[in-house]
Structure formats: C-alpha cells, structure tokens
Amino acid sequence: MNTASPVTTVTPIINTDLALSSFQKVKDAYNLHDYNEIIRQATNTITHIEQLELLFILDQRAHALGMKSKFRAAEQDAETMIKYAPILPQGYLCFGQLLSMQGKQKRASKVYQEGLEKTPTNVLAYEHLLQAKKRVDEKSNQHFDLLSALPIEIKDEIVRLLSEEERLNLFGVSTTWSKRLENCQEAWKYIYNGDLVVPRILPKIAKRINHLAITATMEELWLKYLEQLENGYFQNLKSLKLTANMSNALRTNSTKSLMNGFWKTRYTLTKIVLIFVKHGTPITITDILFYLPYLETLRFYVKDSLAGVLGELEVLQKPHPSLIDLSLSTTSTSGDALKPLTKWCPYVRRLRLLGATPSVLDIVTDYFPNVEILGYNNRLELPASDEILNQDYNNKEPIIPVTYMDNMYTKQQQGRLRAFYSSNGWRGVSGDQFLRLLQKNQKTLEILHANMRRTEQQSMNGEPHDDFRPNYAIKAEDIVLNMDRLKKIMYMPDIYEAYEPLFCRMVAPSLTYFESVETFDLSAVVDTLINSQPHLETLAFSSVYMRGLDEEDIVDTQSWVRLFNEYPNISLSRPDPARTLRNVMFDHCHNFSDDALDALANIKTIKGFGFRGTSRITQQGFKDFFIKLNKQNVQITKLVLGKMNSLAMDKTILNHHMVFDIIGSLKELEALHLHGINWLTEEDIEELVHIAKKLNTLVVKRCNVNSEKIISSIYKAGRKLKYVKIIEYYDDEFDTYD
C-alpha cells in the first residue's frame, strides 16, 4: 500500500546576512567571466530585495488595517513579518504598536522584549525597539482608563455611532469595552447581519436584542439562532424577521425549536416577518397564532396557497386577541380560504393580501368587522394608519364579533373600511366586487386607490367586446355614492369607461388629493374639477396620451389651459385660505403645452411642482415657466424632475444647464426628487445640493449613480439633510406626490 508523504509548509526566512559587497561580488565574477558565480550572487541579491519589499508591504497593510480598527487582521500581518524575518525589528515594532493602540501595553512590552532578544544590537532599528519598550512600560505604569472615566451616556453614544461590524471588532479591543458593549441597550436593539453576529457574541448580547433579522444562509448559523431562541435567551425580543432562502431550511426538529422559541418570547414578541421562498412551507398560521398569543403584526410570505398554510385553526379554541396587522402573500388566496381567518382573527385593522382572487373583497367587507385599511394585490408597503387617516374618525373600540360557535360568520351590515389600495401592477380590480365594496363602505372611505385596468378574467375573455356591457358598468351609470369623508382618490379607468364618471361624481369639498391616470375624457374631468370646486391641495395627472384625432388633442390641450385659468378664482372663493392648491404633478401628459404651463404659473399658491415624461412642452416654454414663477414671487419648496421629451421639438427638454439654472433660481427649495435622468453624475448631484442652500430632502430614483458616493460627498461637504434616499431600481413606497 502506498503511503503519501506528509506535506509541510516552510516559512521563508529573510536572509539578513547579505554582505554589503554583494554588488561588488557580482561585478568581480563578471570580470572573471565566472558565469555560475554571477548567477548565484545575482539570485541571492534579487531574493533578498524581494523579501525586503514584502516586509515593507506587510508593514503598510498592517498599519492601514489598524487605522480602520481591524486589529485582528493587522496582527496577523505583523506576526507574518516576524515569521519571515525573526531577527529584524520591523515585525516586532509593527506588532507592538498595534497592541499599544488597543491599550494592551503589557502585551506590547513582551513583544518588544522578544524583539530585543532576537535582533542584533548593531542593527540600526535596535534603538527604536528600546525606545518603544520604554514608552509602553511608562504607559503601563501610569495607566489612565479614559473609557472608565467617560459618562455612560457618552460611551453609549460612541457605540451607537459605530456600524454593526465595528461594534463586533470592538469586543476584542479591551475588557472594559467588551463589558460596556454587552450592557449597552442601544447597541443591540437592531441586528440585521446574522452571519457576523452568531459565531462570536450572540450568547453575550441576545438579551439586549429588540429587533432581529435572520438572513443567514449557513445551516450552522440557523441552528445557533434557533438554539438561543429555544433556550429563551432573547428575553426582550419585540420583532423578528426570518428569511428561509435555503433548501430544507426548517426540518421537523428545527421547526419544533422555532415554535418553542416563539413560546419562550410570547410575552415580548409582537411582530414577525416570515419569508419562505420555496414551496412546502413547514409552518402554518395556526402554529404562529397558537405560540404567539400576544402577536400584533404578522407578515407571512409563502409559495403555497392560503388554504395550504392555514392549519387546524380550531386548535386555537378562541379568537386571537391581539393581531391587528396582517399581511399575506400566497400563490392563491380565495374568499373561501380567507373566511376562516375572519372567525379567528376578528380584530385585524390593517390587511394586505397578495395573490388574492376577487372573491376576497366581499369576504373582507362582509366578515372582517374591524378592517380599516385594505391592500388588494398591492406590492407596496401600506402606510401606517396614524399617518394617513383622519384621527377624528378613529374607532375607539373594536367591534366584538358574535362568539356563538355555531354561527361565527356574522355578516356585517355596515362597512368600516377607511382606505383601499388596489393593485399597482397591470391587472385591475374586478368591477362587480369593487362596486359592492364602494357601496358598503361609502360612509367611511377616506382614501381610494383604484386600479380598474383590465382584469385577468377580462384578458382571458378577450374583452372588451363590441355591443357588450357587463353588469357593473350598467349599475355604475346610475349609482350616486355619499362619500363625505373621501379626501384622497387615485384612479385608473376600466376598459368599459364606466368607473371614471362614477369617480368624478365622488369629487366633493372634502377632497384634498386627486390623481387621474389614463383618463378617457380629460375634458369631462376638468369640468368636474371646475364645477365641484373641491378643496384640493394636490392635483396630479398621469399617462394622458394622444387621442389620435387632431380635434380631440386640441380639446385636451385647451382643457389644461381652462382648468388653470379657472383655478385662481376657485382658490380665492374658499373660506379656508389654508386649503389651497399647493402641489401639482404631471407625468406623461402628451397634450400638455407651453400655454398650459403659462396658465399654471398664475396659480400663486403652488409650493410643489413635478413633471416627467413626454409632452408638447418646449425648452423655452419650460424656462419661461420658472422665470414667470420668480417674477410673481411664487416660492417653490418641492420639485420633482424626471426625463422629459418634447413632441413639439422631438428631443429631450432637460439638459445639464437647464437643470442647474432651474434649481439655482429656486431659493426656497427644500425637497428635490430626480427620476430617471441618466446623464446625471454623482458630481452633478453634489453640486445641485450645494447650490440649493435650504435643501433638506433628496430623493434620486434610477439615475445610474453610486448611492454611497453621493451620501458620502454630501456629508463630507457638511450638509446635514433630514432625508436622503438613493433608489437604483425598485422601491416599495407609494409614489404619491403629497
């Protein structure tokens, strides 16, 4: 049998005995034509030079790592220097300095002493070793612990300003820092980088963590977290986000551990987000509700149907008393599958359903007695109720459902829905179910986000058909809804043009936000806004395309002018001067012209303005608009600019000089949003921030810029903006203008 020879690693030792006359020896050998000696002497000299260069590079890198507080890696470089050149002082000097920087003076003294013992006394840097050892010995004898002298508040503030990785590195600096970190409540409230935390310090800090996100992909890290969770170490955990993005992430044993962990944290854990990216979710909604009786918020995203992940809800025995915020993303959520949750989760106030069929709309309005905010196939995060709803209409006490076990599905006679957010994609809401939702909740609705585009069923049927009107379209023609509380409406019409007239009939004095997308009849919408005289604060139009007939396009262009010529009179007639038009936004409004811009400039109450997409505006018209605003002393505080193309000029409207001239002229500008302007560079944005002296909010979307570079340059320049957001691709926030 063959036996493999052991493999050994030899550490190269730098030869320090190279004679000063080595170059002369090479020359002498050359004169004697002794080529073998030339090769030997030259090779030794080259090797020595390379080794000295390596020593220099290691020294430089160790210094840089130390300055970045990455002491562990820096010490490894210093130790490598000592292995390569054990009788040269460079490695000992480097290692000792790193230890001294960390306050480890006694250990540094030992390193310097070792260097003195191994380094020849005739080496030039030997004296440096002596002086370095003397300094650390003096520091050790006259030790002053600055950290111990600082107030706890200042220590915690230092820790709070460090990144998660820097905090982890700080554990190795000193015992004092380590103890402070363990006991600093602020340092470990939020943990998002599981790969860093678990192996080193999780047992020390688990009790301090309030909010934990587990995204680790390695099974051993998962098991470590589950072990700590099951053993009850997360004593103060309030929210947990768990992403299972690996195969067999939760087997039977680990699922049991997770449930035991839920039970151990049931008194503190009020919010969980569970994301399973593969079919076959091992956890059911019943499991979650049973083990977390005080849970308030549940986000459950799976690749299974809702019916497949409900579990045996009867195990709960009574309705869950605390769940008020529920978000479900499934491959299919039908009304029949959702209905059992109305029985066991009756106190839900905010409900978001992804993968839902139209039948859920009737179930929600008929059987969920306390739902106030509903997201239907909307992929955007719903806003908090206290941010969007009128607090004067708050339901102080929830409706308590009938608890007879033989009749738990009690149909509600009056709806309580206050905000509805439909799909933000290409598929709209079913007309029949949506009409019933409007009728039942007309007295309570405050916000309506209605995407009535072609539904999936209509698309499958090949609709619209000639000489055909669906039932909802016939009914919508005569319905009058009493929407006294409605303050915001954003709609996209249906393919039978039935809902837009109904939405126009909803316009009332209570309305403050109006946004029309893909209108079929701009002239009729403008007539509604003029005649109804709503107290709008924000007005937006999007995707108002060419009609195809010149006469209709001319009518659209004139409609814009007519609206803006009338609006100053409407504003002056209002009893409440605070309720005036302040924000306007136009996105891909093809027939919007220079004349419309000129009329818009006469509305002196405007504070926010936005324009994106294709229109009939010219470069000169756009310039003149801002010149007129300045002449009339209209102070724009918010500006949204996107890529703009002119049908009249067949070219791009915005260029480098125009953008800088516009923003430079807006002396009161506080918020700047830039969308899809591809020619913008990081330097351009930095300069724009510089010239907008009062700017406090910056949002940059899809402009092909480096977010870290922009944010870094802003703060290096000393600008302290309240809000900065750089979005490279897609974001999950509502893109509403107010």
Side-chain angles (χ1 to χ4, degrees), residues 525-539:
V525 173
V526 168
D527 287 340
T528 298
L529 295 174
I530 292 175
N531 297 328
S532 301
Q533 298 191 7
H535 294 178
L536 291 182
E537 296 176 13
T538 299
L539 174 65

Side-chain angles (χ1 to χ4, degrees), residues 89-90 93 112 116 123-135:
Q90 285 92 329
L93 287 169
Y112 289 139
L116 290 170
V123 174
L124 180 63
Y126 184 85
E127 184 64 26
H128 294 170
L129 279 173
L130 284 173
Q131 295 299 323
K133 185 177 186 305
K134 182 179 179 181
R135 284 195 299 270

Side-chain angles (χ1 to χ4, degrees), residues 612-647:
R612 296 179 296 193
T614 303
S615 69
R616 291 189 179 277
I617 295 173
T618 66
Q619 279 188 346
Q620 190 59 49
F622 206 57
K623 289 180 182 178
D624 292 342
F625 170 71
F626 286 98
I627 292 173
K628 188 172 182 178
L629 289 179
N630 284 328
K631 286 182 178 179
Q632 298 187 142
N633 199 29
V634 177
Q635 303 295 335
I636 298 294
T637 59
K638 180 175 181 178
L639 179 65
V640 178
L641 285 180
K643 184 178 180 181
M644 297 172 59
N645 297 316
S646 174
L647 291 171

Side-chain angles (χ1 to χ4, degrees), residues 16 25 44 109 168 176 275 423 503 540 576 594 612 655 684:
T16 60
K25 289 181 179 180
N44 290 340
S109 180
L168 296 177
T176 306
I275 303 173
S423 167
F503 292 140
D576 183 2
D594 290 349
R612 296 179 296 193
N655 57 38
D684 290 334

Side-chain angles (χ1 to χ4, degrees), residues 327-361:
S327 183
L328 300 172
S329 176
T330 67
T331 56
S332 175
T333 294
S334 65
D336 289 340
L338 183 65
K339 194 172 182 180
L341 288 178
T342 69
K343 174 180 178 179
W344 301 104
C345 304
Y347 301 107
V348 170
R349 290 176 176 265
R350 194 168 84 152
L351 178 64
R352 178 167 167 252
L353 303 171
L354 292 168
T357 64
S359 58
V360 303
L361 296 179

Side-chain angles (χ1 to χ4, degrees), residues 173-208:
V173 170
S174 68
T175 304
T176 306
W177 270 119
S178 182
K179 289 181 179 179
R180 183 62 238 147
L181 282 166
E182 286 183 35
N183 295 293
C184 180
Q185 184 71 36
E186 292 296 321
W188 311 111
K189 274 189 175 182
Y190 302 88
I191 293 295
Y192 298 112
N193 196 335
D195 291 358
L196 286 173
V197 174
V198 175
R200 295 176 54 188
I201 62 167
L202 185 58
K204 299 180 180 180
I205 66 170
K207 63 183 178 181
R208 303 291 180 190

Side-chain angles (χ1 to χ4, degrees), residues 660 663-664 667 669 672 682-695 698 713-714 717-719 721:
F660 275 77
I663 295 177
K667 304 303 181 184
L669 187 65
L672 175 61
E682 293 84 358
E683 291 75 17
D684 290 334
I685 295 173
E686 182 180 354
E687 180 62 22
L688 290 174
V689 172
H690 174 71
I691 63 177
K693 301 300 184 184
K694 293 190 176 182
L695 194 71
L698 174 67
S713 65
I714 289 173
R719 291 298 302 271
L721 305 187

Side-chain angles (χ1 to χ4, degrees), residues 689-705:
V689 172
H690 174 71
I691 63 177
K693 301 300 184 184
K694 293 190 176 182
L695 194 71
N696 57 48
T697 298
L698 174 67
V699 177
V700 180
K701 291 187 179 183
R702 298 180 288 278
C703 289
N704 295 327
V705 292

